[in-house]
Amino acid sequence: MSIELLLPGESPRSEGLDEEHIARLAEIDTPIPAILVDRRTMRVIDGMHRLMAAKLRGHELIQVELFDGTPEEAFLRAVEVNVSHGLPLTLADRRAAAGRIIASHPQMSDRAIARAAGLGAKAVATIRRRVADALPQLSARIGRDGKTRPLSSVDGRLRAAELIAERPEASLREVARLAGISPATVSDVRKRLESGLAPVVEPARAPEAPADPPAAADTGDRRVEPKRNQLPADPATALEKLLRDPSLRHKEGGRQLLRLLQQQNAVATRAGEDLMEAVPSHCGSLVLDLARYYADTWADLAKQLDERVRQENRRGVGG
């Protein structure tokens, strides 16, 4: 395409073009890769440095790839390609781009936007919270794999219950796909229905405190209800305490539990960009399903342990 037909587009770079980078590209004795151009406007979406380098070389033509889409989609594509190759975007530019993508594509998940903008999902979540008041209230988001998932699992669980009743022979994966939830959650819904329970887990209500709580007994070894979710800032501290406990270390089952907890601590420590980057795009759905399955398994264990601790506490108080 003739260089004279092309116009500069909207760039995610706040500081404009880098003249030194243009000069370096112009000196390289290889064909200039195709640039990305909006078909409707002939504005360059990605490749302004290459375009300017071609001009410096005295070229009149340049290879282009035409893009069809809205201006918002063009900007998203510009951010994606600038993050993945060429002159890197600054951190400030990537954060600004993420904020703009959140505004134009609020349905995209934090992880999908993080991948597009070259940020961590936590950073994107922080940016989203800052602009939450200006965003529409959505019930679902679209992940990096293109699948739509509800922000709350309530609707998905209810839909899964309907599908299980209508098509009892359907597989977990089929119901999960139609309901927009994980196969592990569908399995939990099916088990609850078979047990005569509602498909949605009702949130536990905090017990109301009595108006005049009884005074503590003067004598006796009364146990106090332990506080929950009171781990230290670094969970490794709690894990270290368990690792020193002989009642766990001297039993095979205890040693297996400690190994699992050590693995979970390693996952929690590396959670975020490191683990995300380790997952190839073609494995994303499988890792997602496994992560949700294991999360549900740990949640079930936590629920059983919670009930056991409560029962032991009640026996201790009444004994």
Side-chain angles (χ1 to χ4, degrees):
M1 180 175 288
S2 172
I3 289 178
E4 296 302 322
L5 297 177
L6 302 176
L7 299 171
E10 189 174 11
S11 171
R13 301 181 189 277
S14 59
E15 298 181 358
L17 297 177
D18 186 318
E19 297 297 335
E20 292 184 1
H21 186 58
I22 293 173
R24 286 194 297 269
L25 290 176
E27 292 174 358
I28 299 175
D29 189 21
T30 56
I32 295 177
I35 64 175
L36 186 64
V37 176
D38 190 324
R39 186 192 299 272
R40 297 178 302 108
T41 64
M42 287 295 107
R43 293 190 178 277
V44 177
I45 296 173
D46 174 56
M48 276 302 299
H49 287 101
R50 280 168 278 160
L51 177 62
M52 299 307 293
K55 286 185 176 183
L56 277 182
R57 292 188 186 185
H59 295 177
E60 296 182 357
L61 300 175
I62 190 171
Q63 289 188 341
V64 303
E65 176 187 348
L66 295 176
F67 175 84
D68 294 294
T70 65
E72 292 78 15
E73 292 168 342
F75 181 80
L76 173 59
R77 182 68 180 275
V79 174
E80 290 175 334
V81 293
N82 275 281
V83 164
S84 62
H85 69 79
L87 187 65
L89 295 175
T90 66
L91 178 59
D93 286 344
R94 284 180 278 135
R95 286 176 173 170
R100 181 166 169 177
I101 294 170
I102 289 171
S104 63
H105 295 73
Q107 75 280 7
M108 285 181 66
S109 70
D110 291 342
R111 294 194 181 280
I113 295 176
R115 183 61 176 266
L119 294 171
K122 291 182 180 178
V124 174
T126 300
I127 296 171
R128 192 190 293 272
R129 284 194 295 270
R130 291 175 186 165
V131 298
D133 293 341
L135 298 176
Q137 297 301 311
L138 303 176
S139 60
R141 287 186 189 157
I142 301 174
R144 290 192 305 156
D145 55 4
K147 295 181 180 179
T148 300
R149 294 181 177 84
L151 294 178
S152 169
S153 64
V154 172
D155 293 340
R157 281 176 170 268
L158 293 175
R159 177 59 178 152
E162 294 175 359
L163 291 168
I164 291 172
E166 295 170 1
R167 303 163 61 180
E169 76 286 352
S171 67
L172 295 180
R173 286 192 173 277
E174 184 177 1
V175 175
R177 178 178 57 82
L178 295 173
I181 55 179
S182 70
T185 304
V186 175
S187 175
D188 181 66
V189 170
R190 178 172 287 174
K191 290 176 183 178
R192 292 181 64 83
L193 293 175
E194 290 173 351
S195 301
L197 301 174
V200 178
V201 181
E202 295 293 336
R205 295 183 178 179
E208 296 183 2
D212 297 306
D218 294 333
T219 59
D221 184 18
R222 176 169 178 165
R223 297 187 184 181
V224 179
E225 183 75 11
K227 293 182 179 180
R228 288 169 175 77
N229 300 323
Q230 296 295 318
L231 282 176
D234 181 9
T237 303
L239 177 58
E240 185 63 29
K241 184 176 180 180
L242 291 175
L243 290 171
R244 293 196 301 266
D245 193 318
S247 61
L248 288 171
R249 291 190 294 110
H250 295 163
K251 294 180 180 178
E252 179 58 30
R255 289 193 293 271
Q256 291 179 356
L257 175 61
L258 291 175
R259 284 194 291 270
L260 282 173
L261 291 173
Q262 285 178 300
Q263 293 170 0
Q264 291 296 309
N265 186 62
V267 170
T269 302
R270 294 187 59 199
E273 293 186 50
D274 289 348
L275 289 179
M276 284 295 299
E277 292 302 322
V279 181
S281 58
H282 66 279
C283 297
S285 296
L286 287 176
V287 175
L288 172 65
D289 288 343
L290 284 171
R292 285 178 168 165
Y293 175 80
Y294 294 141
D296 287 345
T297 300
W298 280 103
D300 289 341
L301 175 62
K303 183 178 180 181
Q304 295 173 28
L305 287 173
D306 182 69
E307 181 60 29
R308 191 176 79 177
V309 170
R310 289 177 184 275
Q311 291 178 356
E312 291 175 350
N313 241 336
R314 286 194 290 268
R315 288 197 296 269
V317 171

